[in-house]
Amino acid sequence: MPTRFDRTTWLLLALIVANAATLFFFRFFISLDGPMHVLHACVTKAEWFSDRYHTRDVDYIINPGTLDLSDLVLIPLTRMLSPMHAHTAYAVFVMLVLCGGVLCAARAAGLRNGALFLWVLPLSFSYVFVLGFFTFLLASGCALMVAAWWMVSEHVRWRTLLLAALWVVSCQAVHRSGGAMAMLFMGCYELMLFMRDRAGWRARWSAIHPRWRIAGSGAGLAAAAWKVGVAVFFRPRIVLPAEQDRWQEILTGRPFLLFSREAEQSWLIAFGILLSITIIAALVYRFRTRAMPVAADALGLAILLLLLASVAFHTRNAQLLYMGVRSQTIALLVLPAWACAVVPRSRWSGLLGVAVLLVHVTRMIHIEDTMAWSGQSFEQAQEVVEHLPLHGVALPVVRDDNWLHEHLSAFAAASYQGVFYSPGDHLSFKHRPGERWQLRDYSDGFQLELNWLE
C-alpha cells in the first residue's frame, strides 16, 4: 500500500465523504432502527447528571455493565445536539470508518480499478445498517484497517506483534466480533503468503523463533474459535419467530435490502445482475493472472470464508444475532476491495461502475419518496412531546403497519422529561407497588391486546 495518496484515492475519499453526508439530507434515515442507542445513552446520561426522566409511577432501569461504545460516543453528542442529530452524526461516523476500512484494504491489495469501488455506495446503505448494528459495522471498519496495516508490514517483529495485539483488542472492545474479524483477515493473509511464497514467509517471520510462532498461532486460533463457538452454540432464552433461509439470503441479495423486498425488487434484481457480472469478471481475471498481490488473494479467501460461515452457522443463537446477514454484508463489503485489485482498469469496468452508481441513486430517491411520511410521523411525535406534562408517563400507540415507526418513539422518549414508553428498545422499567396492571403489561412487551385502552 503506497504511503502517499494518488488522485484516484483522493477521489474515492471524496466519494466516501459525500456518501456519508447524504444521511443528513434523506428523510428515510429517521426510520432506521438505531434510535434505541440514543435513548439508552440519554437515560444513562440522566442517571449521571440529572433526574430528567424521574416520575412518580415508573422509572427507567439502566442495568449495571450495559455501558458500551455507543454510549461513550452518543453521550457527548447528545450534550451538544438533539437526539436525532446525535444519532445522525454517530451513523455518519460509522459509515466513514467502515468505508475507510474498505479503502485501506483495497490499497493494501493493490488498487488498480477505482470504478468498481463504487460498489461501496449501495453496500454501505445495507440491511445491517438499517437494523442499527452500528458498533458491529464500526468494528468491521476498524478490523479492515488493522488488516491493511498488517498486510503492508514487510517484517514481523516483537514490536509488530505487540501493536497487532493492541489493535485486535481494540477491535474487540468496539464489538465482541471485532477481534475475531481482524484475526480472520490477518490469518488469511499469512496463509496465502505461506502457500504462495514460503521463502518470503520465513523471511517475514525471521525475527520470531518458530516455537513462538506456533504458540502465537495456536493462541490466536483458540481465541477466535472460542468467540465464534460462544456466539454460535450458546442457547438463547428467546427464539426468532420465523426461521431464516440461509441460501435465500445470499441468492436474493438480502444485504442490499433496506425496508421492503416487494417495493425494492427491481433494484435488487439490478444489483444482482451487476454483482454477478463483477464477480464473474473478477474470477476470470484472477485465474488468468499469475502475478497477483498476496493481499488480494487474502481478501478473496476471507470473502469465501465469510460466505461459508453465513451458511454453516445456523443455530438458534446465530439466527438471533443475525450472524448470516452480518457475515454476508462484510463479505460483500470486502468484495469491492478485492475486485479493485483484481480487475484492471478498462472502459467496460468504468461503465459497470457508472451503472452501479445510477441504480444506487435511483433506489435512494425512491426510498426517500416512499419514506417521506415517516418524516411527518416524526414531526407529529415531537409535537406531542411538547404538550405532555413534565415528569409524567406517556404510552404511545403506533397505528400504521411500519415496524420501524415504533422506534420513532425512542426519539420522543429521549426528548421528553418523563417516561415515554418506547416498545422494544431494550430498556427496562421499575414500577411502583400500587401501579395499575395495564401500565405494567404494556411495559412487558410490544403493543398487544390493547382493548383496555377504550
Side-chain angles (χ1 to χ4, degrees):
M1 182 174 64
T3 56
R4 297 182 62 183
F5 285 2
D6 54 12
R7 185 177 64 177
T8 300
T9 304
W10 282 115
L11 289 174
L12 295 179
L13 280 174
L15 180 71
I16 291 173
V17 173
N19 185 48
T22 57
L23 291 178
F24 283 105
F25 304 103
F26 280 88
R27 288 171 293 185
F28 86 91
F29 181 70
I30 63 175
S31 292
L32 299 188
D33 198 7
M36 65 180 69
H37 302 300
V38 179
L39 177 57
H40 190 276
C42 288
V43 175
T44 304
K45 179 184 65 176
E47 283 215 342
W48 294 350
F49 300 108
S50 68
D51 60 348
R52 176 181 181 90
Y53 301 108
H54 177 73
T55 71
R56 185 183 62 183
D57 300 317
V58 61
D59 289 326
Y60 292 115
I61 296 178
I62 297 296
N63 297 322
T66 58
L67 185 70
D68 58 16
L69 180 67
S70 296
D71 294 321
L72 296 178
V73 175
L74 285 168
I75 285 176
L77 287 176
T78 54
R79 300 280 291 186
M80 300 178 290
L81 304 170
S82 67
M84 189 191 74
H85 288 103
H87 177 227
T88 304
Y90 180 38
V92 168
F93 171 68
V94 170
M95 186 173 288
L96 288 174
V97 173
L98 179 64
C99 296
V102 178
L103 180 59
C104 289
R107 284 169 55 80
L111 178 62
R112 293 199 296 172
N113 191 340
L116 296 183
F117 191 83
L118 290 168
W119 272 114
V120 172
L121 299 181
L123 288 168
S124 58
F125 283 92
S126 63
Y127 183 68
V128 172
F129 190 77
V130 170
L131 289 177
F133 296 155
F134 290 159
T135 52
F136 168 74
L137 295 173
L138 188 61
S140 301
C142 294
L144 286 170
M145 292 181 183
V146 172
W149 166 78
W150 179 262
M151 291 174 183
V152 300
S153 300
E154 296 182 0
H155 300 284
V156 177
R157 299 181 174 88
W158 283 110
R159 179 177 177 272
T160 311
L161 289 177
L162 290 175
L163 283 175
L166 176 62
W167 302 141
V168 170
V169 170
S170 300
C171 292
Q172 185 68 27
V174 175
H175 189 269
R176 55 189 171 186
S177 66
M181 279 193 293
M183 288 190 288
L184 169 67
F185 295 126
M186 296 162 64
C188 288
Y189 179 79
E190 294 300 324
L191 179 61
M192 295 308 302
L193 181 61
F194 180 79
M195 294 177 60
R196 289 185 48 182
D197 185 9
R198 296 193 179 186
W201 182 85
R202 294 191 186 96
R204 170 181 166 85
W205 286 86
S206 59
I208 308 297
H209 194 277
R211 287 179 296 184
W212 289 108
R213 300 178 202 167
I214 297 174
S217 300
L221 287 174
W226 170 258
K227 291 299 298 181
V228 174
V230 169
V232 172
F233 298 108
F234 177 79
R235 293 188 66 84
R237 290 178 295 177
I238 60 176
V239 181
L240 288 182
E243 185 174 351
Q244 301 161 1
D245 192 323
R246 295 168 288 179
W247 291 104
Q248 185 181 14
E249 290 179 348
I250 297 178
L251 298 177
T252 58
R254 189 180 184 188
F256 289 102
L257 180 67
L258 286 179
F259 297 116
S260 170
R261 187 179 299 276
E262 291 76 15
E264 301 173 49
Q265 186 174 12
S266 58
W267 284 273
L268 293 178
I269 293 174
F271 279 132
I273 294 174
L274 295 175
L275 184 64
S276 300
I277 295 174
T278 303
I279 294 175
I280 293 173
L283 290 174
V284 169
Y285 277 109
R286 175 60 193 93
F287 288 118
R288 283 183 179 178
T289 306
R290 295 183 178 181
M292 184 62 61
V294 176
D297 286 343
L299 293 179
L301 178 61
I303 293 171
L304 180 61
L305 292 177
L306 287 169
L307 291 177
L308 289 176
S310 70
V311 176
F313 299 148
H314 200 57
T315 62
R316 289 183 175 181
N317 202 52
Q319 293 183 52
L320 184 64
L321 297 175
Y322 291 89
M323 289 188 63
V325 71
R326 289 181 194 238
S327 300
Q328 294 166 22
T329 299
I330 301 304
L332 292 180
L333 271 169
V334 178
L335 180 65
W338 175 65
C340 287
V342 172
V343 180
R345 186 181 302 175
S346 61
R347 182 176 299 177
W348 74 265
S349 64
L351 294 175
L352 182 62
V354 172
V356 172
L357 178 62
L358 290 176
V359 175
H360 171 64
V361 171
T362 55
R363 197 265 292 263
M364 295 303 293
I365 293 174
H366 169 75
I367 292 294
E368 166 68 1
D369 294 337
T370 303
M371 302 304 294
W373 61 307
S374 295
Q376 299 175 2
S377 300
F378 173 74
E379 293 173 359
Q380 292 171 1
Q382 295 300 311
E383 292 176 359
V384 168
V385 170
E386 296 176 359
H387 295 86
L388 292 175
L390 297 181
H391 299 288
V393 180
L395 277 67
V397 178
V398 181
R399 294 186 298 172
D400 59 58
D401 58 355
N402 188 336
W403 64 272
L404 285 167
H405 284 180
E406 292 179 351
H407 298 288
L408 290 180
S409 58
F411 283 138
S415 303
Y416 177 48
Q417 294 192 40
V419 171
F420 192 98
Y421 277 86
S422 183
D425 280 327
H426 304 291
L427 283 178
S428 302
F429 302 91
K430 177 173 62 178
H431 301 271
R432 301 296 185 266
E435 186 179 276
R436 296 181 62 187
W437 64 268
Q438 292 95 334
L439 187 62
R440 187 183 299 274
D441 284 350
Y442 188 93
S443 66
D444 287 338
F446 289 89
Q447 302 169 37
L448 304 175
E449 304 295 338
L450 294 181
N451 295 330
W452 56 269
L453 279 176
E454 300 177 1

